[in-house]
Amino acid sequence: MKYYLLTGLCVFFTLFGCKDTNLKDENTTYVGGQINNPESSYVILSQGNKIIDTLYLDEKNQFGKDFQDLKSGIYTFKHPPENQTLYIEPGDSIVIWLNTLSFDKSLNFSGEGAEESNFLLNMFLNNQENNDLVLTYYKMSPENFARVSDSIRKSRLENLNKLKAKNNFSEEFTSIAEKIISYEFYDLRERYTFLIEKYYPEIAETIPEDFNDYRENINFNDNELKDYYVYTNLIDDYLRTKSIEYCEKNHLDKKCFDLNSFDNIRRRMLLIDSLSNLQALKNEFLDRLADRSIIMAESKERIDSILSTLQEIGYSNLEEAKNLADVQKGYFVGNSLKDLKAENTKGEIKTYGEIIKKPTITYAWSIYAPAHHRWQHKIIKQLKKKYPELDFLGVNIDLGDREEWLRTLENYDYDKEDEYQIAERSTSKETYKKYLNKVLFIDPKGTIVHGDVQFGNPHFEEEILEFLNRE
């Protein structure tokens, strides 16, 4: 059915932008399409951290534009709050169709040069399946998992070669696609290694010496893929595993798998600083690690240690880290939140002192991180049934987007009685986004009891029980 819709769309777009491929201009690239059930009034085309253009939807939810002198490479197509990648070469004429009710699965690219983007989309969908695959198969022996991961890589490469022959893929795109397939394979092995070492150390001892030989082939300075999720996921998982292995080898402490510990985060900071010369890539990880370590800090001493490490490695965003540290000082254990204000779904401004009546767990979420807030609310729904003696308070950080917030609550059928939106902002929205994985355990008086908890971590329920059983 999508094929016919897309055919109709391409015919329509010839009226105002779809190019005749027989008269193809090698310097002009067309990007257009239609969005059913749009969540916002525009789409954004970007590459890395650079916005190429913002295209607004017309009355039929259609958009389109010719671009001059776009370089070949991976781009990001954003329709807030969702986004996806596409591949563009000069002279392409790409038509995009999607339905926001099923963003990734409905998304389709057609037109000249669209098959490369469809290949990347299928890789994304397959990669999501691989996330479940690792959790299903990680208990198997290293030899069997090696066969499974080898088979996946072989199948991906065979499919790529068939599509290359059929669609005449350029050597440049083929090279990028081969690297993506390799990085996906490396990440499967890396995640398996982490899970086995954490949950089945006796099996970990049987991992062959050559199982992780792929690590020698990881390029930590890949400029073409520095913004691509498969590549950055691999590096993230590599840093995680290596930091744990370093801890275990040097017997630093008994909590080597505590990914929020200062020693673990410090080790990952030092690793990426030594491995990569790409400043943009290095900063992405240092920013992420600096933010995580600061927002999980519960004392001034820990904050000082983190800032000292960042200064030691010459962190370029040190002032931003210091500003975040100043914000975090308000969330130390023992601090009171009773005067903090939030707005309920009725439009009433309430203080936490008025809202909190019993032991409470608060979590922050954003309408602009849909997959994340769906995951959060799914977990909270289960915990509410399991722990009725607790209140779970959802705090939306999108001040100024009240109507969008209310519509999201309605669309996803979230419990409005336990949902609030921040009523005032003491810092930037970007700063609040850094708290989306942090939860606060608060007593009935509005005082923070526990503040270094990460949402949904494997020990989340143990921490909840400890909170409930405290004197």
Side-chain angles (χ1 to χ4, degrees), residues 114-327:
E115 287 307 316
E116 290 87 342
S117 296
N118 281 322
F119 175 85
L120 294 182
L121 175 61
N122 288 330
M123 281 292 296
F124 171 81
L125 296 173
N126 288 332
N127 192 266
Q128 287 187 315
E129 292 179 2
N130 284 347
N131 290 336
D132 296 330
L133 180 144
V134 173
L135 294 176
T136 301
Y137 291 120
Y138 80 90
K139 298 178 184 179
M140 66 172 49
S141 70
E143 290 79 9
N144 286 336
F145 191 85
R147 282 193 289 271
V148 170
S149 55
D150 285 341
S151 175
I152 290 173
R153 185 186 194 185
K154 181 181 178 182
S155 175
R156 299 276 197 270
L157 289 171
E158 289 174 350
N159 183 49
L160 172 62
N161 289 330
K162 289 179 183 178
L163 291 172
K164 177 185 177 182
K166 179 180 179 181
N167 299 290
N168 195 27
F169 286 164
S170 67
E171 290 304 317
E172 184 176 357
F173 175 75
T174 302
S175 173
I176 289 175
E178 288 174 346
K179 287 194 293 184
I180 290 173
I181 291 170
S182 292
Y183 288 140
E184 179 195 41
F185 166 76
Y186 300 162
D187 198 36
L188 282 173
R189 293 284 186 97
E190 201 64 49
R191 293 177 63 208
Y192 171 85
T193 301
F194 167 75
L195 291 169
I196 285 295
E197 289 182 347
K198 181 172 183 178
Y199 296 109
Y200 295 94
E202 67 281 0
I203 298 179
E205 293 178 0
T206 69
I207 294 178
E209 289 186 8
D210 63 351
F211 187 83
N212 299 115
D213 278 357
Y214 61 84
R215 288 175 175 174
E216 298 176 5
N217 300 321
I218 300 175
N219 177 9
F220 293 92
N221 297 289
D222 195 324
N223 194 54
E224 285 183 315
L225 293 177
K226 65 180 184 297
D227 302 305
Y228 195 66
Y229 71 95
V230 171
Y231 178 60
T232 55
N233 284 351
L234 164 65
I235 295 178
D236 191 30
D237 290 334
Y238 172 88
L239 296 176
R240 176 183 65 182
T241 309
K242 291 294 286 184
S243 66
I244 292 167
E245 290 174 353
Y246 178 87
C247 174
E248 292 180 325
K249 181 178 179 181
N250 293 276
H251 307 289
L252 296 183
D253 58 43
K254 296 180 180 180
K255 296 183 178 180
C256 290
F257 286 88
D258 181 358
L259 301 181
N260 290 319
S261 73
F262 172 70
D263 288 334
N264 183 287
I265 292 178
R266 172 182 164 81
R267 182 61 189 163
R268 281 184 278 169
M269 286 179 177
L270 296 176
L271 262 176
I272 190 61
D273 184 57
S274 66
L275 290 170
S276 180
N277 297 318
L278 280 178
Q279 199 60 48
L281 179 71
K282 186 184 296 190
N283 280 350
E284 177 183 345
F285 284 96
L286 289 177
D287 288 347
R288 189 187 305 175
L289 293 167
D291 292 346
R292 182 182 301 179
S293 58
I294 290 172
I295 66 173
M296 292 297 172
E298 291 194 292
S299 68
K300 182 180 182 301
E301 291 74 23
R302 178 54 54 86
I303 291 282
D304 290 342
S305 296
I306 295 163
L307 294 178
S308 176
T309 298
L310 293 173
Q311 190 165 9
E312 174 188 338
I313 62 178
Y315 181 52
S316 59
N317 295 325
L318 186 59
E319 287 305 312
E320 291 183 22
K322 289 179 178 178
N323 291 336
L324 180 60
D326 288 337
V327 173

Side-chain angles (χ1 to χ4, degrees), residues 342-360:
E343 183 176 0
N344 64 21
T345 57
K346 299 176 183 177
E348 301 167 333
I349 305 296
K350 301 283 187 178
T351 66
Y352 273 41
E354 295 173 304
I355 298 169
I356 296 174
K357 303 300 180 184
K358 60 182 182 179
T360 299

Side-chain angles (χ1 to χ4, degrees), residues 329-345:
K329 290 173 184 176
Y331 296 109
F332 287 163
V333 169
N335 286 5
S336 175
L337 300 180
K338 66 178 183 179
D339 294 326
L340 197 66
K341 295 179 180 179
E343 183 176 0
N344 64 21
T345 57

